[in-house]
Amino acid sequence: MALIRLPFILLLQYLVTVTGNGDSAYHHSLQKDKAALLEFKRSIFDPNSTLSNWEEGAHVCNFTGIRCDKFHHRVVQINLTGSKLLGKISPFISNLTRLHYLILDENHFFGTIPPELSSLQHLQTLSLMKNNLTGPIPDTFSLLTNLTFFSVRENSLTGSLPPTFFSNCTTLGQLPASLTNVTLYNLDVEYNLLSGELPFYLVGKQPTLVFLHLSYNNMTSHDSNTNLNTFFRELKNCTDLEELELAGMGLGGTLPSSLDHPNLRLLDLQENRIFGSIPPEMGNLSSLIMLNLAFNLLNGTISEEVTSRLSRDNTTKTTKVHKSA
Ligand SMILES: *[C@@H]1O[C@H](CO)[C@@H](O)[C@H](O)[C@H]1NC(C)=O
Ligand SMILES: *[C@@H]1O[C@H](CO)[C@@H](O)[C@H](O)[C@H]1NC(C)=O
Ligand SMILES: *[C@@H]1O[C@H](CO)[C@@H](O)[C@H](O)[C@H]1NC(C)=O
Ligand SMILES: *[C@@H]1O[C@H](CO)[C@@H](O)[C@H](O)[C@H]1NC(C)=O
Ligand SMILES: *[C@@H]1O[C@H](CO)[C@@H](O)[C@H](O)[C@H]1NC(C)=O
Ligand SMILES: *[C@@H]1O[C@H](CO)[C@@H](O)[C@H](O)[C@H]1NC(C)=O
Ligand SMILES: *[C@@H]1O[C@H](CO)[C@@H](O)[C@H](O)[C@H]1NC(C)=O
Ligand SMILES: *[C@@H]1O[C@H](CO)[C@@H](O)[C@H](O)[C@H]1NC(C)=O
Ligand SMILES: *[C@@H]1O[C@H](CO)[C@@H](O)[C@H](O)[C@H]1NC(C)=O
Ligand SMILES: *[C@@H]1O[C@H](CO)[C@@H](O)[C@H](O)[C@H]1NC(C)=O
Ligand SMILES: *[C@@H]1O[C@H](CO)[C@@H](O)[C@H](O)[C@H]1NC(C)=O
Ligand SMILES: CC(=O)N[C@H]1CO[C@H](CO)[C@@H](O)[C@@H]1O
């Protein structure tokens, strides 16, 4: 009998062991998420006690600003918008490997963006707007292939947009099919100190862009700030584009003669050094409701095609077009 029973007992043991491991694996991961959040908390000053329930004794899925998946296995969201937090963003956040949303808008985070965040493979939204962050956007962010929403507007970031940003395919020669599905639709880096050339390489590879906001940085156009056509040519691939903001950068060049974005509603090019005339083809932008070309070096007149298109909406600003003698 003993000989017959033995395999059965072994089998039972095996099943118990496997099940036990599964549960404790999740428990272990959630404990790691919690430890990372407590570490994150240690590096910030929290004058409004927003994080007062972030304690060893509490359940991590009950922490203010935190959301777990429905099974309470892992933390998937951090949203601490407008919480008056002051401090550095701890690299320990990168241990929350199931995170989908990281939103720290409207706080007083300073220091650099930890490059370690690039290990958050599931990240879809990364929003750090209205803080005091400095330094570059880490090169390694090209690894965040599931990102759809990226905003760092209103910080003090420097450097240029990394050439491989969101499109780690330079080594493959051509765009792999999987990457054409990368659905980055919002890229907003406005009001920083970013320099370098307008990211023409990026827009060609991100056909899903809907909002592209680059205004008030220190970028230049192609050929030592004389050629806007390279950028606009690559931008043609972004057929879903609705908003393009490139204001306040002293960009040099002429307006492209053809702009074919059927959904473009907003085009803000004010405060640049764009010269030449305004092509009548601008009137073909059938969805355009806001065009701002103020404070440039444009001459000539705005054709009727353009004005009639835009007169539907009184927020349109095509004013201050310099007329040469
Ligand atoms: C900060 O705390 C005060 C009083 O406790 C509260 O009235 C206020 O809404 C809090 N502000 C934020 C941003 O949480
Ligand atoms: C979360 O907090 C509520 C009360 O605030 C409590 O009823 C619930 O059991 C807590 N959840 C966990 C998982 O601890
Ligand atoms: C994040 O929190 C803010 C303030 O509570 C809220 O307005 C916003 O909708 C939240 N964002 C997401 C994606 O849940
Ligand atoms: C950024 O830092 C400056 C100076 O340190 C401070 O005056 C300003 O209030 C800070 N802004 C934010 C959004 O924290
Ligand atoms: C990325 O997103 C796709 C589509 O939503 C999903 O199938 C895939 O599992 C995601 N990858 C990661 C690492 O989250
Ligand atoms: C591109 O991805 C490969 C592996 O997927 C990685 O080894 C390499 O470092 C990435 N390159 C950049 C610039 O992120
Ligand atoms: C890319 O999108 C196409 C069509 O939307 C879909 O058939 C395909 O499975 C997607 N590929 C990946 C890797 O998600
Ligand atoms: C833009 O799209 C065209 C045609 O779809 C394609 O040939 C070209 O390679 C794309 N540009 C980039 C930079 O991917
Ligand atoms: C802007 O960029 C130019 C070179 O393109 C550089 O000389 C200048 O210092 C930059 N200004 C700032 C404020 O970064
Ligand atoms: C506009 O300026 C260009 C040179 O920048 C000149 O060639 C052209 O004749 C001017 N057009 C008008 C209408 O003044
Ligand atoms: C624009 O039009 C709206 C309603 O059509 C009106 O309420 C608003 O006062 C107008 N603004 C200006 C600047 O004329
Ligand atoms: C387990 C693990 O990944 N721990 C890492 C958490 O994040 C810190 C800071 O990046 C790393 O030093 C740990 O190795």
Side-chain angles (χ1 to χ4, degrees):
M1 279 307 260
L3 280 176
I4 294 166
R5 273 188 187 185
L6 192 55
F8 182 63
I9 291 165
L10 284 178
L11 180 64
L12 266 184
Q13 263 179 350
Y14 175 72
L15 286 173
V16 167
T17 310
V18 168
T19 316
N21 261 349
D23 281 350
S24 73
Y26 286 128
H27 181 70
H28 184 65
S29 300
L30 195 58
Q31 285 306 111
K32 258 170 59 181
D33 285 356
K34 182 182 194 169
L37 288 172
L38 292 175
E39 199 60 44
F40 168 77
K41 175 181 174 176
R42 274 153 63 102
S43 67
I44 50 190
F45 176 57
D46 175 20
N48 237 38
S49 300
T50 308
L51 309 181
S52 60
N53 66 359
W54 287 35
E55 292 177 320
E56 200 59 65
H59 195 283
V60 60
C61 301
N62 261 355
F63 284 10
T64 299
I66 297 301
R67 268 184 46 199
C68 292
D69 61 278
K70 63 181 169 187
F71 305 111
H72 283 196
H73 285 160
R74 297 299 301 272
V75 169
V76 295
Q77 181 171 323
I78 300 176
N79 183 356
L80 294 168
T81 298
S83 302
K84 301 187 164 66
L85 304 174
L86 173 70
K88 295 190 172 183
I89 300 175
S90 167
F92 273 83
I93 289 291
S94 65
N95 291 359
L96 294 146
T97 50
R98 285 280 156 173
L99 210 55
H100 288 72
Y101 293 83
L102 177 56
I103 305 167
L104 302 175
D105 299 342
E106 295 170 51
N107 284 290
H108 307 285
F109 286 103
F110 60 86
T112 55
I113 302 174
E116 288 87 350
L117 297 187
S118 63
S119 63
L120 298 174
Q121 290 293 294
H122 294 271
L123 209 59
Q124 293 168 5
T125 291
L126 179 54
S127 196
L128 306 173
M129 64 176 107
K130 300 192 187 176
N131 281 287
N132 248 346
L133 298 165
T134 52
I137 295 168
D139 267 342
T140 51
F141 276 16
S142 57
L143 298 170
L144 294 172
T145 48
N146 260 23
L147 211 55
T148 60
F149 186 103
F150 181 81
S151 176
V152 290
R153 65 177 292 136
E154 295 176 55
N155 281 285
S156 301
L157 298 174
T158 50
S160 53
L161 281 171
T164 55
F165 201 33
F166 305 125
S167 51
N168 180 10
C169 55
T170 47
T171 56
L172 300 173
Q174 68 179 62
L175 203 61
S178 64
L179 271 174
T180 58
N181 285 16
V182 170
T183 50
L184 183 69
Y185 71 85
N186 182 90
L187 175 59
D188 185 347
V189 299
E190 283 185 357
Y191 297 96
N192 279 288
L193 301 165
L194 298 170
S195 52
E197 196 175 325
L198 286 177
F200 63 88
Y201 41 83
L202 172 76
V203 296
K205 287 173 179 162
Q206 288 293 343
T208 54
L209 276 171
V210 177
F211 306 104
L212 180 59
H213 293 186
L214 306 175
S215 297
Y216 300 102
N217 280 290
N218 189 23
M219 297 177 189
T220 57
S221 66
H222 207 54
D223 295 332
S224 311
N225 206 27
T226 58
N227 172 2
L228 277 171
N229 284 316
T230 305
F231 177 79
F232 279 108
R233 191 173 60 234
E234 293 295 320
L235 192 70
K236 278 183 185 163
N237 284 20
C238 302
T239 48
D240 296 334
L241 196 67
E242 291 182 20
E243 296 185 4
L244 177 62
E245 300 192 357
L246 302 175
M249 295 197 278
L251 295 171
T254 55
L255 292 171
S257 58
S258 96
L259 259 181
D260 190 17
H261 297 282
N263 299 319
L264 193 66
R265 293 185 292 108
L266 189 156
L267 179 57
D268 188 356
L269 299 173
Q270 72 170 314
E271 295 169 63
N272 284 302
R273 303 182 63 78
I274 301 171
F275 56 89
S277 55
I278 300 170
E281 289 84 357
M282 284 242 159
N284 296 347
L285 292 167
S286 56
S287 301
L288 202 64
I289 53 173
M290 206 288 225
L291 171 66
N292 194 344
L293 297 173
F295 303 105
N296 276 290
L297 303 171
L298 293 159
N299 63 12
T301 53
I302 303 176
S303 72
E304 229 173 83
E305 286 96 320
V306 181
T307 44
S308 64
R309 165 69 56 205
L310 294 167
S311 58
R312 287 185 284 127
D313 190 305
N314 65 3
T315 62
T316 303
K317 290 180 220 162
T318 52
T319 52
K320 303 207 173 57
V321 175
H322 171 77
K323 295 199 184 193
S324 67

